[in-house]
Amino acid sequence: MRQALLLTIALAALAGCGRNEPPPEPVRAVRTMTVTDDSAGTVHEYAAEVRARTESRLGFRIGGKIVRRNVDLGSAVKAGQVLAQLDPQDMRLGRDAARASLVAAKANLEQTQADYKRFKELRDQGFISSAELERRQTALNTAQAQYDQARAQSNVQGNQAEYTSLVADAAGVVTAVEAEPGMVVAAGTPVIRLAHDGPRDVVFSVPEDKVALVKKLSTQKDRFSVRLWGDGRTLPATVREIAAAADPLTRTFTVKADIGESSATGVRLGQTATVLVATPQSAGVTKLPLSALKEEQGGTIVWVVDKATMTVKPQPVRVSGVDGNEAVIDEGLSAGQVVVTAGVHVLNPGQKVKLYGGVNGNGSQAQEQKQKQPAAVAPIGAGSASAPQWARPDEHPPPP
């Protein structure tokens, strides 16, 4: 009997729980603004880096063992300064051998010339035949060719000996050191990277959908400028080069812009900068605070308020750029629509809203009426003198 009573009570409790309805969704207070047609010129910003117009990777023209490096990373060098040195012993021996061969070829040429002169006199006197004089002429030509060859070989060996010194071909700054003393390097192996003094470029990357815009604006004046991160200065820039192919890793196009001589601008190599690309003014656009935008399913939406029902609905829009702290919308909105500018992340389609500060959709102030229930006490029966019935649940009869 007791178990049946407990079962009945449990079923009654479950039935009571099932009849509870979910609480109504709260009415959210939001800030709004009315859409108006405007004109705006957006400014695109790209992260950039200051680089030298010319940067050379210097290496020895011959192979050998590095015995000395005279500069370090960041060193300023002058044109003709020796940067590194190879072991010159083998090159000097080759040069000496070539010079000795040149001396021998010269002596042989002089001897052949003297012989030819004597044989020519004998031929004029009729003591030898013309065939013998022709053989002497051939020997003289051979000796002359051997001398020319020895002289050229001597010059080559002399140059090879000079190539053991790596010399800076222009003034600049060492930006990288890629080999150390003791290493054996082949001809042409990069040893030192040198950034030449002179013009400076800012290098930045542009996505595929902005390349055509950058090419178009590159022919217009005052469309590009550079803001230096270190000191906040802004310098004019001119687009000098746009890559013809995208980077295989980032799929972006590299753009180089000229900012003038380093001596005039005072910029440092590797300095961080921001490239500002100003687009022309365009009419028929809308500016909204960035707080009014919400990303949803890969797109951008705003919440539009229906003045009649005071509900919101999502409206897809297209953002063409950013102007300061405002987004420039060129598609999806029309003049006169009311857009939510704050509280967009807590809204749902069809949700009831009220304007922050109590302003309704028509712009008038809504008055909230507070209804107060009287705390009167009603008797159980007319003329009854029994205990009173308390109307409010928070009031209790006094203890006996």
Side-chain angles (χ1 to χ4, degrees):
M1 189 62 163
R2 183 178 180 181
Q3 292 180 352
L5 179 60
L6 292 176
L7 181 60
T8 303
I9 294 174
L11 292 176
L14 291 176
C17 293
R19 289 193 299 268
N20 290 338
E21 297 182 357
E25 196 168 6
V27 178
R28 299 287 184 182
V30 295
R31 290 184 183 272
T32 61
M33 66 171 290
T34 303
V35 174
T36 59
D37 289 335
D38 200 351
S39 61
T42 59
V43 177
H44 301 278
E45 297 186 0
Y46 300 98
E49 179 186 2
V50 177
R51 297 183 186 175
R53 174 74 58 82
T54 304
E55 190 172 14
S56 304
R57 302 180 69 185
L58 304 180
F60 292 100
R61 300 175 69 172
I62 58 174
K65 180 180 179 180
I66 301 177
V67 295
R68 186 171 61 256
R69 177 168 56 81
N70 301 328
V71 294
D72 297 316
L73 183 65
S75 300
V77 301
K78 299 179 180 180
Q81 180 176 341
V82 177
L83 307 179
Q85 182 75 45
L86 289 178
D87 184 1
Q89 186 65 29
D90 293 341
M91 294 298 104
R92 289 175 180 176
L93 293 176
R95 180 185 61 188
D96 294 342
R99 288 178 177 176
S101 298
L102 177 61
V103 172
K106 183 178 180 180
N108 182 52
L109 176 61
E110 291 174 350
Q111 180 63 43
T112 305
Q113 288 175 341
D115 291 344
Y116 177 77
K117 184 177 180 181
R118 288 192 296 267
F119 276 95
K120 188 174 185 303
E121 292 175 354
L122 293 175
R123 172 66 183 83
D124 293 341
Q125 297 175 7
F127 290 105
I128 60 174
S129 63
S130 298
E132 183 65 25
L133 182 62
E134 290 176 357
R135 285 195 293 271
R136 296 300 173 179
Q137 179 66 46
T138 302
L140 176 61
N141 294 339
T142 302
Q144 181 66 47
Q146 291 174 348
Y147 173 75
D148 293 340
Q149 180 183 8
R151 183 175 59 184
Q153 187 65 29
S154 177
N155 292 336
V156 170
Q157 289 298 327
N159 292 338
Q160 295 283 328
E162 294 179 357
Y163 292 158
T164 57
S165 297
L166 182 60
V167 179
D169 52 0
V173 178
V174 176
T175 58
V177 175
E178 303 181 17
E180 298 293 340
M183 294 179 59
V184 177
V185 295
T189 301
V191 176
I192 290 175
R193 187 180 303 171
L194 180 66
H196 295 199
D197 290 340
R200 294 289 184 258
D201 290 343
V202 288
V203 182
F204 59 101
S205 298
V206 176
E208 298 179 7
D209 59 339
K210 300 298 182 184
V211 174
L213 176 64
V214 171
K215 287 183 179 180
K216 179 181 178 181
L217 297 179
S218 63
T219 59
Q220 302 179 17
K221 188 178 180 181
D222 299 332
R223 292 297 181 186
F224 293 84
S225 59
V226 176
R227 184 175 65 241
L228 300 177
W229 183 83
D231 50 18
R233 288 183 298 156
T234 301
L235 303 175
T238 303
V239 173
R240 184 179 63 85
E241 177 184 320
I242 301 176
D247 184 273
L249 297 178
T250 63
R251 306 309 304 168
T252 58
F253 290 78
T254 302
V255 181
K256 299 179 180 180
D258 178 27
I259 57 175
E261 296 285 336
S262 59
S263 57
T265 59
V267 297
R268 300 184 300 275
L269 292 174
Q271 188 171 357
T272 304
T274 301
V275 176
L276 308 176
V277 183
T279 61
Q281 293 283 334
S282 57
V285 298
T286 301
K287 291 183 178 180
L288 294 178
L290 296 176
S291 60
L293 306 181
K294 181 182 179 183
E295 295 294 328
E296 188 172 272
Q297 297 181 356
T300 303
I301 66 167
V302 297
W303 292 101
V304 177
V305 179
D306 186 348
K307 296 180 181 180
T309 61
M310 290 304 294
T311 58
V312 293
K313 65 176 181 179
Q315 176 64 43
V317 295
R318 187 176 68 180
V319 180
S320 61
V322 178
D323 186 6
N325 292 327
E326 295 181 321
V328 179
I329 310 298
D330 62 357
E331 184 177 316
L333 295 176
S334 58
Q337 289 183 304
V338 178
V339 176
V340 177
T341 60
V344 298
H345 296 287
V346 295
L347 298 179
N348 296 312
Q351 184 174 356
K352 286 278 189 179
V353 296
K354 63 179 179 179
L355 305 188
Y356 183 79
V359 180
N360 59 22
N362 297 325
S364 61
Q365 184 73 21
Q367 300 294 333
E368 296 182 0
Q369 301 293 337
K370 297 182 179 180
Q371 298 181 355
K372 299 181 179 180
Q373 297 292 340
V377 180
I380 294 179
S384 173
S386 60
Q389 177 68 34
W390 298 93
R392 294 191 301 178
D394 57 341
E395 295 184 3
H396 303 282

Coordinates of all heavy atoms in Angstrom, one line a residue, residues 145-209:
A145 N 102.7 32.2 -81.6 CA 101.5 31.8 -81.0 C 101.7 31.2 -79.6 O 100.9 31.4 -78.7 CB 100.8 30.7 -81.9
Q146 N 102.8 30.5 -79.4 CA 103.1 29.9 -78.1 C 103.3 31.1 -77.1 O 102.9 30.9 -75.9 CB 104.3 29.0 -78.1 CG 104.0 27.7 -78.9 CD 105.3 26.9 -79.1 OE1 106.4 27.4 -78.9 NE2 105.2 25.6 -79.5
Y147 N 104.0 32.1 -77.5 CA 104.2 33.2 -76.6 C 102.8 33.9 -76.2 O 102.6 34.2 -75.1 CB 105.1 34.2 -77.3 CG 105.3 35.5 -76.5 CD1 106.0 35.6 -75.3 CD2 104.6 36.7 -76.9 CE1 106.1 36.7 -74.6 CE2 104.7 37.9 -76.1 CZ 105.5 37.9 -75.0 OH 105.6 39.0 -74.3
D148 N 102.0 34.1 -77.2 CA 100.7 34.7 -76.9 C 99.9 33.8 -75.9 O 99.2 34.3 -75.0 CB 99.9 34.9 -78.2 CG 100.5 35.9 -79.1 OD1 101.3 36.7 -78.6 OD2 100.2 35.9 -80.3
Q149 N 99.9 32.5 -76.2 CA 99.2 31.6 -75.3 C 99.8 31.7 -73.8 O 99.0 31.7 -72.9 CB 99.3 30.2 -75.8 CG 98.6 29.2 -74.9 CD 98.7 27.8 -75.4 OE1 99.5 27.5 -76.4 NE2 98.0 26.8 -74.9
A150 N 101.1 31.7 -73.7 CA 101.7 31.8 -72.4 C 101.4 33.1 -71.7 O 101.2 33.1 -70.5 CB 103.2 31.6 -72.5
R151 N 101.3 34.1 -72.4 CA 101.0 35.4 -71.8 C 99.6 35.5 -71.4 O 99.3 36.0 -70.2 CB 101.2 36.6 -72.9 CG 101.0 37.9 -72.3 CD 101.4 39.0 -73.3 NE 100.6 38.8 -74.6 CZ 100.8 39.6 -75.7 NH1 101.7 40.5 -75.7 NH2 100.0 39.3 -76.7
A152 N 98.6 34.9 -72.1 CA 97.2 34.9 -71.7 C 97.1 34.0 -70.5 O 96.3 34.3 -69.5 CB 96.3 34.3 -72.8
Q153 N 97.7 32.8 -70.5 CA 97.7 31.9 -69.3 C 98.2 32.6 -68.1 O 97.7 32.4 -67.0 CB 98.4 30.6 -69.6 CG 98.2 29.6 -68.6 CD 96.8 29.1 -68.4 OE1 96.0 29.1 -69.4 NE2 96.4 28.7 -67.2
S154 N 99.3 33.4 -68.2 CA 99.8 34.1 -67.1 C 98.9 35.1 -66.5 O 98.8 35.3 -65.3 CB 101.1 34.8 -67.5 OG 101.7 35.5 -66.4
N155 N 98.1 35.8 -67.4 CA 97.1 36.7 -67.0 C 96.0 36.1 -66.2 O 95.5 36.5 -65.2 CB 96.6 37.5 -68.1 CG 97.6 38.5 -68.8 OD1 98.6 38.9 -68.1 ND2 97.4 38.8 -70.0
V156 N 95.6 34.9 -66.7 CA 94.5 34.1 -66.1 C 94.9 33.7 -64.7 O 94.2 33.9 -63.7 CB 94.1 32.9 -66.9 CG1 93.2 32.0 -66.1 CG2 93.4 33.4 -68.2
Q157 N 96.2 33.2 -64.6 CA 96.6 32.7 -63.3 C 96.8 33.9 -62.3 O 96.6 33.8 -61.1 CB 98.0 32.0 -63.4 CG 97.8 30.6 -64.1 CD 97.0 29.7 -63.3 OE1 97.0 29.7 -62.0 NE2 96.2 28.8 -63.9
G158 N 97.2 35.1 -62.8 CA 97.3 36.2 -62.0 C 95.9 36.7 -61.5 O 95.8 37.0 -60.3
N159 N 94.9 36.6 -62.3 CA 93.6 36.9 -61.9 C 93.1 35.9 -60.8 O 92.4 36.3 -59.9 CB 92.6 37.0 -63.1 CG 92.9 38.1 -64.0 OD1 93.5 39.1 -63.6 ND2 92.5 38.0 -65.3
Q160 N 93.4 34.6 -61.1 CA 92.9 33.6 -60.1 C 93.5 33.9 -58.7 O 92.9 33.7 -57.7 CB 93.4 32.2 -60.6 CG 92.7 31.8 -61.9 CD 91.3 31.3 -61.7 OE1 90.9 30.8 -60.7 NE2 90.4 31.6 -62.7
A161 N 94.8 34.3 -58.7 CA 95.4 34.6 -57.4 C 94.7 35.8 -56.7 O 94.6 35.8 -55.5 CB 96.9 34.9 -57.6
E162 N 94.2 36.8 -57.5 CA 93.5 37.9 -56.9 C 92.1 37.5 -56.5 O 91.6 38.2 -55.5 CB 93.4 39.1 -58.0 CG 94.8 39.7 -58.3 CD 94.6 40.8 -59.3 OE1 93.5 41.0 -59.8 OE2 95.7 41.4 -59.7
Y163 N 91.5 36.5 -57.1 CA 90.2 36.1 -56.7 C 90.2 35.4 -55.3 O 89.1 35.1 -54.8 CB 89.6 35.1 -57.7 CG 89.4 35.7 -59.1 CD1 89.3 35.0 -60.2 CD2 89.2 37.1 -59.2 CE1 89.1 35.5 -61.4 CE2 89.0 37.7 -60.4 CZ 88.9 36.9 -61.6 OH 88.7 37.5 -62.8
T164 N 91.3 35.2 -54.7 CA 91.3 34.7 -53.3 C 90.8 35.7 -52.3 O 90.6 35.3 -51.2 CB 92.7 34.2 -53.0 OG1 93.6 35.3 -53.1 CG2 93.1 33.0 -53.9
S165 N 90.7 36.9 -52.7 CA 90.2 38.0 -51.8 C 88.8 38.4 -52.3 O 88.5 38.7 -53.5 CB 91.1 39.2 -51.9 OG 92.3 38.9 -51.4
L166 N 87.8 38.3 -51.4 CA 86.4 38.7 -51.7 C 86.3 40.2 -51.4 O 86.4 40.6 -50.2 CB 85.4 37.9 -50.8 CG 83.9 38.2 -51.0 CD1 83.5 37.9 -52.5 CD2 83.1 37.3 -50.1
V167 N 86.0 41.0 -52.4 CA 86.0 42.4 -52.3 C 84.6 42.9 -52.5 O 83.9 42.4 -53.4 CB 87.0 43.0 -53.4 CG1 87.0 44.5 -53.3 CG2 88.4 42.5 -53.1
A168 N 84.2 43.9 -51.7 CA 82.9 44.6 -51.9 C 82.9 45.4 -53.2 O 83.8 46.3 -53.3 CB 82.6 45.4 -50.7
D169 N 81.9 45.2 -54.0 CA 81.9 46.0 -55.3 C 81.1 47.3 -55.1 O 81.0 48.1 -56.0 CB 81.3 45.2 -56.4 CG 79.9 44.5 -56.0 OD1 79.5 44.8 -54.8 OD2 79.3 43.8 -56.8
A170 N 80.5 47.5 -53.9 CA 79.8 48.8 -53.7 C 79.7 49.0 -52.1 O 79.9 48.0 -51.4 CB 78.4 48.7 -54.2
A171 N 79.5 50.2 -51.7 CA 79.3 50.5 -50.3 C 77.9 50.0 -49.8 O 77.0 50.1 -50.6 CB 79.4 52.0 -50.1
G172 N 77.9 49.5 -48.6 CA 76.6 49.0 -48.1 C 76.8 48.5 -46.7 O 77.7 48.8 -46.0
V173 N 75.8 47.6 -46.3 CA 75.8 47.0 -45.0 C 75.7 45.5 -45.1 O 74.9 45.0 -46.0 CB 74.6 47.5 -44.2 CG1 74.5 46.9 -42.8 CG2 74.7 49.1 -44.1
V174 N 76.4 44.8 -44.3 CA 76.4 43.3 -44.3 C 75.1 42.9 -43.6 O 74.9 43.2 -42.5 CB 77.6 42.7 -43.6 CG1 77.5 41.2 -43.6 CG2 78.9 43.1 -44.4
T175 N 74.2 42.2 -44.3 CA 73.0 41.7 -43.8 C 72.9 40.2 -43.5 O 72.0 39.8 -42.8 CB 71.8 42.0 -44.8 OG1 72.1 41.4 -46.0 CG2 71.7 43.5 -45.0
A176 N 73.9 39.5 -43.9 CA 74.0 38.0 -43.6 C 75.4 37.5 -43.8 O 76.1 38.0 -44.7 CB 73.0 37.3 -44.4
V177 N 75.8 36.6 -43.0 CA 77.1 35.9 -43.1 C 76.8 34.4 -43.3 O 76.2 33.8 -42.4 CB 78.0 36.1 -41.9 CG1 79.3 35.3 -42.0 CG2 78.3 37.6 -41.8
E178 N 77.1 33.8 -44.4 CA 76.7 32.5 -44.7 C 77.9 31.5 -44.7 O 77.7 30.3 -45.1 CB 76.0 32.4 -46.1 CG 74.8 33.4 -46.1 CD 74.0 33.3 -47.4 OE1 74.3 32.4 -48.2 OE2 73.2 34.2 -47.7
A179 N 79.1 31.9 -44.4 CA 80.2 31.0 -44.4 C 81.2 31.5 -43.3 O 81.3 32.7 -43.1 CB 80.9 30.9 -45.7
E180 N 81.9 30.6 -42.7 CA 82.9 30.9 -41.6 C 84.3 30.4 -42.0 O 84.4 29.6 -42.9 CB 82.4 30.2 -40.3 CG 81.1 30.7 -39.8 CD 81.1 32.1 -39.4 OE1 82.2 32.7 -39.1 OE2 80.0 32.7 -39.3
P181 N 85.3 31.0 -41.4 CA 86.7 30.6 -41.6 C 86.8 29.1 -41.3 O 86.3 28.5 -40.4 CB 87.5 31.4 -40.7 CG 86.7 32.7 -40.5 CD 85.3 32.2 -40.5
G182 N 87.6 28.4 -42.2 CA 87.8 27.0 -42.1 C 86.9 26.2 -43.0 O 87.3 25.0 -43.3
M183 N 85.9 26.8 -43.6 CA 85.0 26.1 -44.5 C 85.7 26.0 -45.9 O 86.3 27.0 -46.3 CB 83.7 26.7 -44.6 CG 82.9 26.6 -43.3 SD 81.2 27.5 -43.5 CE 80.5 26.6 -44.9
V184 N 85.5 24.9 -46.6 CA 86.0 24.8 -48.0 C 84.7 25.1 -48.9 O 83.7 24.3 -48.8 CB 86.6 23.4 -48.3 CG1 87.0 23.3 -49.8 CG2 87.8 23.2 -47.4
V185 N 84.8 26.1 -49.7 CA 83.6 26.5 -50.5 C 84.0 26.3 -52.0 O 85.1 26.4 -52.4 CB 83.2 27.9 -50.2 CG1 82.7 28.1 -48.8 CG2 84.4 28.9 -50.5
A186 N 82.9 26.1 -52.8 CA 83.1 26.0 -54.2 C 83.0 27.4 -54.8 O 82.5 28.3 -54.2 CB 82.1 25.0 -54.8
A187 N 83.3 27.5 -56.1 CA 83.2 28.8 -56.7 C 81.8 29.2 -56.8 O 80.9 28.4 -57.2 CB 83.8 28.7 -58.1
G188 N 81.5 30.4 -56.4 CA 80.1 30.9 -56.5 C 79.3 30.7 -55.3 O 78.1 31.2 -55.2
T189 N 79.8 30.0 -54.3 CA 79.0 29.7 -53.1 C 78.8 31.0 -52.3 O 79.8 31.7 -52.0 CB 79.7 28.7 -52.2 OG1 79.9 27.5 -52.9 CG2 78.9 28.4 -50.9
P190 N 77.6 31.4 -51.9 CA 77.4 32.7 -51.2 C 78.1 32.6 -49.9 O 78.0 31.7 -49.1 CB 75.8 32.8 -51.0 CG 75.3 31.9 -52.1 CD 76.3 30.8 -52.3
V191 N 78.8 33.7 -49.6 CA 79.5 33.8 -48.3 C 79.0 35.0 -47.5 O 78.8 34.9 -46.3 CB 81.0 34.0 -48.6 CG1 81.8 34.3 -47.3 CG2 81.6 32.8 -49.3
I192 N 78.7 36.1 -48.1 CA 78.3 37.3 -47.4 C 77.2 38.0 -48.3 O 77.3 38.0 -49.5 CB 79.4 38.3 -47.2 CG1 80.4 37.8 -46.2 CG2 78.9 39.7 -46.8 CD1 81.6 38.6 -46.0
R193 N 76.1 38.4 -47.6 CA 75.1 39.2 -48.3 C 75.2 40.7 -47.9 O 75.3 41.0 -46.8 CB 73.7 38.7 -47.8 CG 72.5 39.3 -48.6 CD 71.2 38.7 -48.0 NE 71.2 37.3 -48.1 CZ 70.2 36.5 -47.5 NH1 69.2 37.1 -46.9 NH2 70.3 35.2 -47.6
L194 N 75.2 41.5 -49.0 CA 75.5 42.9 -48.9 C 74.3 43.7 -49.4 O 74.0 43.5 -50.6 CB 76.8 43.3 -49.6 CG 77.2 44.7 -49.6 CD1 77.6 45.1 -48.1 CD2 78.4 45.0 -50.5
A195 N 73.8 44.6 -48.6 CA 72.7 45.5 -49.0 C 73.4 46.8 -49.4 O 74.0 47.5 -48.6 CB 71.7 45.7 -47.9
H196 N 73.2 47.2 -50.6 CA 73.9 48.4 -51.2 C 73.2 49.6 -50.6 O 72.0 49.7 -50.4 CB 73.8 48.4 -52.7 CG 74.6 47.3 -53.3 ND1 75.0 47.3 -54.6 CD2 75.0 46.1 -52.8 CE1 75.7 46.2 -54.9 NE2 75.7 45.4 -53.8
D197 N 74.1 50.6 -50.4 CA 73.5 52.0 -50.0 C 72.8 52.5 -51.2 O 73.1 52.2 -52.4 CB 74.7 52.9 -49.6 CG 75.3 52.5 -48.3 OD1 74.6 51.8 -47.5 OD2 76.4 52.9 -48.0
G198 N 71.8 53.4 -50.9 CA 71.1 54.0 -52.0 C 69.6 53.9 -51.8 O 69.1 54.1 -50.7
P199 N 68.8 53.7 -52.9 CA 67.4 53.7 -52.8 C 66.9 52.6 -51.9 O 67.5 51.5 -51.8 CB 66.9 53.5 -54.2 CG 68.1 53.9 -55.1 CD 69.3 53.5 -54.3
R200 N 65.8 52.8 -51.2 CA 65.1 51.8 -50.3 C 63.7 51.6 -50.8 O 63.0 52.4 -51.3 CB 65.1 52.4 -48.9 CG 66.4 52.5 -48.2 CD 67.1 51.1 -48.0 NE 68.3 51.2 -47.3 CZ 69.5 51.1 -47.9 NH1 69.6 50.9 -49.2 NH2 70.6 51.2 -47.2
D201 N 63.3 50.3 -50.7 CA 62.0 49.9 -51.1 C 61.3 49.3 -49.8 O 61.9 48.8 -48.9 CB 62.0 48.7 -52.1 CG 62.5 49.2 -53.5 OD1 62.5 50.5 -53.7 OD2 62.9 48.4 -54.3
V202 N 59.9 49.4 -49.9 CA 59.1 48.7 -48.9 C 58.5 47.6 -49.7 O 57.9 47.7 -50.8 CB 58.0 49.6 -48.3 CG1 58.6 50.6 -47.3 CG2 57.2 50.4 -49.3
V203 N 58.5 46.4 -49.1 CA 58.1 45.2 -49.8 C 56.9 44.6 -49.0 O 56.9 44.5 -47.8 CB 59.2 44.1 -49.9 CG1 58.7 42.9 -50.6 CG2 60.4 44.7 -50.6
F204 N 55.8 44.4 -49.7 CA 54.5 43.9 -49.1 C 53.8 42.9 -50.0 O 54.2 42.9 -51.2 CB 53.6 45.0 -48.6 CG 53.1 45.9 -49.8 CD1 51.9 45.8 -50.3 CD2 54.0 46.9 -50.2 CE1 51.5 46.6 -51.3 CE2 53.5 47.8 -51.3 CZ 52.3 47.6 -51.8
S205 N 52.9 42.2 -49.4 CA 52.2 41.1 -50.2 C 50.7 41.5 -50.4 O 50.1 42.0 -49.4 CB 52.3 39.8 -49.5 OG 53.6 39.4 -49.4
V206 N 50.2 41.3 -51.5 CA 48.8 41.7 -51.9 C 48.1 40.4 -52.3 O 48.6 39.6 -53.0 CB 48.8 42.7 -53.0 CG1 47.4 43.0 -53.4 CG2 49.5 44.0 -52.6
P207 N 46.8 40.2 -51.7 CA 46.1 39.0 -52.1 C 45.6 39.1 -53.6 O 45.6 40.2 -54.2 CB 44.9 39.1 -51.2 CG 44.8 40.5 -50.7 CD 46.2 41.0 -50.7
E208 N 45.2 38.0 -54.1 CA 44.8 37.9 -55.5 C 43.7 38.9 -55.9 O 43.8 39.5 -57.0 CB 44.4 36.5 -55.8 CG 45.5 35.4 -55.6 CD 45.0 34.0 -56.0 OE1 43.9 33.9 -56.5 OE2 45.8 33.1 -55.7
D209 N 42.8 39.1 -55.0 CA 41.6 39.9 -55.4 C 41.9 41.4 -55.4 O 41.1 42.2 -55.8 CB 40.4 39.6 -54.5 CG 40.7 39.9 -53.1 OD1 41.9 39.9 -52.7 OD2 39.8 40.0 -52.3

